[in-house]
Amino acid sequence: MNYTAPDVKKLREETGATFADCKNALTESKSWDEAVKYLEARSSRKAEKMVAAGRETKEGGVFSYVHHNHSIGVLLELNCSTDFVARSESFRQLASELGLQIAGVAPKYVNYEDVPAEVVEAKKKEILEDPSMARVPEAKREEVIAGKLKKAFSEQVLTMQPWVKDETLTIGDLIRKVIADTGENIVLRRFSRFKLGEE
């Protein structure tokens, strides 16, 4: 695809990718949409590599969000590998977005793996007792149960929730995007949500 310097600038603004990555995407792609998809795929692979690298995440910070009427507050611990990233605008913006999400949607868990086994088992039992499960072939049953479990817990698990500002993205996608942007693994360690009058 033929492109100009303003095209590279526009693509950088739209995707947040580096100058070199934007040039490569425009060179390799036949259309604008293809260039955007190329960068999204590259960003996703980069995030997966950062998470898989398993570097320690002991830097970061404790962040707070208090709703304007002071009826809801959130404290969260967000970690990364270096203090350089911890001080970055994208990291702090992510902490702010997470605080807003937790205040607004009230998740119970950070990740699906954090849901206690007994809670998962109770839900699984409920799913198995559903009469519609009798029609599911034995070979497909585990797959259907897994899908129903994930759907059931998607409202309670923060990383599975749709982002309140853009429902096409989950909170997990948002975190992976910042991981790709910063080049470091980022982990939401824990959070607490306080609502006026709630125990």
Side-chain angles (χ1 to χ4, degrees), residues 61-149:
V62 174
F63 299 89
S64 64
Y65 169 84
V66 178
H67 198 55
H68 64 88
N69 64 4
H70 300 282
S71 63
I72 299 173
V74 173
L75 270 180
L76 63 96
E77 180 182 347
L78 191 63
N79 299 124
C80 57
S81 299
T82 65
D83 65 336
F84 175 75
V85 167
R87 290 190 315 263
S88 72
E89 183 57 36
S90 58
F91 184 81
R92 291 179 179 277
Q93 183 62 37
L94 174 63
S96 173
E97 296 298 347
L98 293 175
L100 183 67
Q101 179 82 18
I102 294 164
V105 192
K108 290 184 181 174
Y109 313 102
V110 176
N111 298 301
Y112 183 66
E113 297 75 30
D114 299 333
V115 180
E118 62 272 12
V119 175
V120 175
E121 282 307 312
K123 192 68 188 173
K124 191 173 183 178
K125 188 172 182 235
E126 189 183 307
I127 291 167
L128 285 168
E129 288 170 359
D130 185 331
S132 69
M133 285 303 292
R135 295 190 297 272
V136 177
E138 194 67 46
K140 289 255 185 204
R141 194 161 286 181
E142 281 305 312
E143 188 182 322
V144 170
I145 291 168
K148 284 182 179 272
L149 282 171

Side-chain angles (χ1 to χ4, degrees), residues 23-42:
K23 273 183 73 173
N24 288 340
L26 290 168
T27 304
E28 301 289 322
S29 306
K30 292 181 175 71
S31 69
W32 185 266
D33 288 343
E34 200 177 300
V36 170
K37 283 186 181 139
Y38 171 91
L39 288 170
E40 284 172 354
R42 184 174 169 81

Side-chain angles (χ1 to χ4, degrees), residues 153-169:
F153 288 112
S154 65
E155 288 176 20
Q156 298 175 25
V157 176
L158 178 64
T159 54
M160 295 168 74
Q161 290 178 340
W163 183 23
V164 291
K165 289 188 177 177
D166 179 357
E167 300 222 331
T168 63
L169 290 175

Side-chain angles (χ1 to χ4, degrees), residues 3 8 11-12 18-28 39:
Y3 64 89
V8 177
L11 189 58
R12 279 193 77 185
T18 66
F19 180 80
D21 284 348
C22 289
K23 273 183 73 173
N24 288 340
L26 290 168
T27 304
E28 301 289 322
L39 288 170

